[in-house]
Amino acid sequence: MHFYFSDKVTLLFEFWDVSNVSGMALSLLVVLLMAVLYEVIKVGKAVFHHDMRSLKMSASWEAVGESETSSLDSETSHHAPINSAPSSHLPVIPESSLQTPARKSRWFLYHVCQSAFHLLQVVLGYMLMLCVMSYNTWIFLGVLVGAGVGYYISYSILALHRI
């Protein structure tokens, strides 16, 4: 197998049969956008994960504020501190306050969303791989340019979030 330059190619499905220059230009645009979307989803997963971790930390600190007085009054408490750094002034959070039903349902929704993002990323990745495996040079270049543009656009988002 080898790469070839042509305006005739069948991509992914039988109905996506390109046979002229305008069809190739439209297919290039679609493949380019798919590659951009792949990169955006990849970064979106990281941003979403970071936001959920910061939400989890703020929820933990809210629990600290609520349980600070009761935990510090009882000197026989056997619960672990919120972080592992040894410090005598850190409040102790009871394990039961961290496992509320609202927090469990929030974690479940987070996990479902992360799984859906991952599934979409895998499907797009395999579709892009199959497009490249058509061995059409124009399609290959469309995937490369889309990945580069997607990286350029999406990683500026990471800089804004300071991840």
Side-chain angles (χ1 to χ4, degrees), residues 31-83:
V31 168
L32 187 134
L33 291 175
M34 284 172 51
V36 168
L37 182 62
Y38 178 84
E39 291 294 329
V40 168
I41 289 173
K42 184 169 60 171
V43 170
K45 281 176 37 178
V47 169
F48 186 65
H49 180 71
H50 180 263
D51 289 348
M52 287 306 294
R53 287 193 62 159
S54 63
L55 181 64
K56 182 179 177 183
M57 290 302 290
S58 67
S60 298
W61 284 111
E62 286 172 13
V64 168
E66 293 170 0
S67 64
E68 187 174 85
T69 55
S70 63
S71 296
L72 291 178
D73 289 342
S74 65
E75 300 205 337
T76 59
S77 177
H78 298 291
H79 301 293
I82 197 164
N83 69 14

Side-chain angles (χ1 to χ4, degrees), residues 89-132:
H89 67 279
L90 285 177
V92 176
I93 302 174
E95 291 289 325
S96 60
S97 70
L98 293 177
Q99 298 298 326
T100 62
R103 205 158 283 147
K104 286 180 184 178
S105 67
R106 190 179 326 149
W107 180 87
F108 178 75
L109 286 174
Y110 160 74
H111 190 64
V112 167
C113 288
Q114 280 289 81
S115 298
F117 279 138
H118 180 72
L119 181 65
L120 185 59
Q121 182 184 2
V122 168
V123 167
L124 274 172
Y126 278 117
M127 289 176 77
L128 289 169
M129 177 197 65
L130 290 173
C131 287
V132 169

Side-chain angles (χ1 to χ4, degrees), residues 4-44:
Y4 63 95
F5 285 94
S6 176
D7 61 353
K8 294 172 180 41
V9 69
T10 301
L11 291 175
L12 300 178
F13 307 103
E14 285 184 35
F15 63 83
W16 195 351
D17 190 27
V18 180
S19 59
N20 55 26
V21 175
S22 61
M24 179 57 75
L26 184 62
S27 295
L28 277 174
L29 180 66
V30 169
V31 168
L32 187 134
L33 291 175
M34 284 172 51
V36 168
L37 182 62
Y38 178 84
E39 291 294 329
V40 168
I41 289 173
K42 184 169 60 171
V43 170

